[in-house]
Amino acid sequence: LAVSAGLRRNEIDKLTWRQIDLDRNTISLAATKYFKPKSENSGTLVSIDPDLTAMLRGYRAKSKGEFVIESNNAPKLRSNVPLYRAERHFKALVKWLRANGNEAHKPLHTLRKEAGSLVNQKHGLYAASHFLRHADIQVTSAHYVDNKEIITSGLGALLAGNVESISKGKDARHA
């Protein structure tokens, strides 16, 4: 869920079924009695994949409570200390991530960053910033996006006086 929707740990922990619209493939991250968004940009509507929606439908059918992640721990209202209802689930996930090569200090946050990088590669920096719900695109660029693909204009050949290689490249693209 975190990777597919770019959610933060505290958002996942307090996510209720009422916030998920299975017909529209969206999750509402507006304030609830359990959750207050990190910033104005954080409390928004998040689009999710139809495949994830189908998976959530299955979980919803089996669910016995109001939270997406079930736990015997009640949510802490008005706590300044980050206490997670689903701590047991998060610990199990971290253990699995570490066993599968994710040695980062904050492995769940690494998943969020990787999701942002994937959106950036496919749709660009603005889309990644929107997906991660950052108020400032600079935050996305500086901290969340791995630029794994080398992107150049190709003007180096022109500046070096190698006009022939530019022409060949142009011809090849338009062939």
Side-chain angles (χ1 to χ4, degrees):
L1 182 64
V3 173
S4 295
L7 301 183
R8 297 174 178 98
R9 182 176 176 174
N10 67 321
E11 295 166 339
I12 297 165
D13 186 64
K14 296 177 180 83
L15 187 64
T16 65
W17 287 112
R18 294 180 120 201
Q19 293 173 269
I20 300 176
D21 187 331
L22 297 170
D23 295 324
R24 293 193 174 112
N25 299 329
T26 59
I27 297 174
S28 171
L29 294 177
T32 68
K33 69 179 183 179
Y34 305 113
F35 169 74
K36 182 181 177 210
K38 182 177 177 181
S39 68
E40 190 174 308
N41 272 18
S42 296
T44 187
L45 209 56
V46 175
S47 297
I48 56 176
D49 303 344
D51 292 336
L52 178 59
T53 301
M55 192 174 78
L56 288 171
R57 280 185 201 282
Y59 289 137
R60 178 67 179 126
K62 297 174 188 172
S63 176
K64 294 179 175 83
E66 68 179 309
F67 291 98
V68 175
I69 297 179
E70 294 184 2
S71 171
N72 292 330
N73 300 329
K76 302 290 184 194
L77 303 177
R78 297 186 185 97
S79 175
N80 291 332
V81 180
L83 301 169
Y84 297 105
R85 296 180 334 59
E87 186 66 31
R88 178 176 60 90
H89 300 284
F90 291 125
K91 284 183 179 181
L93 177 56
V94 167
K95 183 178 179 180
W96 182 86
L97 288 169
R98 294 212 189 285
N100 286 281
N102 186 335
E103 295 297 325
H105 177 64
K106 295 180 177 180
L108 296 177
H109 190 68
T110 300
L111 288 179
R112 178 173 154 78
K113 289 173 79 168
E114 187 61 27
S117 292
L118 292 171
V119 172
N120 177 56
Q121 286 176 354
K122 189 170 183 178
H123 302 289
L125 184 60
Y126 178 77
S129 185
H130 179 74
F131 172 79
L132 294 166
R133 297 173 327 280
H134 289 152
D136 186 346
I137 200 166
Q138 299 299 329
V139 172
T140 312
S141 178
H143 302 289
Y144 285 81
V145 174
D146 276 341
N147 293 315
K148 295 176 182 170
E149 185 178 336
I150 297 173
I151 301 170
T152 66
S153 65
L155 292 176
L158 178 65
L159 296 173
N162 192 352
V163 178
E164 189 175 310
S165 70
I166 292 174
S167 305
K168 287 179 183 175
K170 185 178 181 183
D171 293 341
R173 282 191 302 260
H174 294 292

